[in-house]
Amino acid sequence: MRGRIKRKQALLAGTHPKAALEEQLICPLCERLIPAAQADAHHLIPKSRGGVQTVILHRICHRQVHALFTEAELERHYSTLDSLRAHPELARFLLWVRSKPDDFYERTRKSKRLRASR
């Protein structure tokens, strides 16, 4: 049996029986359509910290969230979509990525703050 996240991804890819009933998903952060190849499941509270609720995001948005925040920060301060959108660095990224095509992807790098803490 597949897990919850795999079922969501199968719905997006069109391989799940209910796929015909589902409409295309929109990324809750950048508000663009999510192509099946660019869909990533994000735990609002990291799974390693007991989180179970997931949302489907664009891969580039998901990578940017994890490039900016540690798991502890995600758990304590950024466990909702509204709090993520309100962060100045992520808001600047979202403004930039909204003008890109739906299937756009570019390499994401960790923030200087996270790289320095290693």
Side-chain angles (χ1 to χ4, degrees):
M1 176 93 192
R2 288 182 162 174
R4 208 167 17 94
I5 294 172
K6 292 291 183 188
R7 282 193 301 269
K8 283 183 184 179
Q9 290 173 336
L11 280 170
L12 286 172
T15 57
H16 192 277
K18 293 183 181 178
L21 303 175
E22 293 290 320
E23 57 185 65
Q24 287 187 320
L25 291 179
I26 294 179
C27 179
L29 291 179
C30 70
E31 300 172 347
R32 298 179 301 142
L33 288 176
I34 304 174
Q38 294 293 323
D40 268 358
H42 171 67
H43 284 86
L44 291 173
I45 296 174
K47 190 174 177 181
S48 64
R49 301 201 175 245
V52 292
Q53 184 182 6
T54 61
V55 292
I56 302 293
L57 303 176
H58 264 109
R59 179 162 290 134
I60 192 168
C61 297
H62 187 217
R63 297 271 175 130
Q64 187 65 26
V65 167
H66 287 284
L68 291 174
F69 308 113
T70 64
E71 289 192 356
E73 290 170 331
L74 286 170
E75 179 188 21
R76 291 184 199 131
H77 307 291
Y78 302 105
S79 60
T80 65
L81 293 170
D82 290 333
S83 61
L84 285 170
R85 277 189 228 105
H87 189 274
E89 285 183 65
L90 190 58
R92 190 176 72 198
F93 167 80
L94 294 174
L95 187 63
W96 172 78
V97 83
R98 280 187 184 121
S99 65
K100 306 297 181 210
D102 293 340
D103 60 348
F104 175 78
Y105 183 76
E106 188 174 284
R107 182 175 174 216
T108 306
R109 296 182 182 179
K110 292 269 187 200
S111 67
K112 288 181 182 179
R113 180 180 63 85
L114 291 182
R115 281 185 278 161
S117 67
R118 284 187 158 181

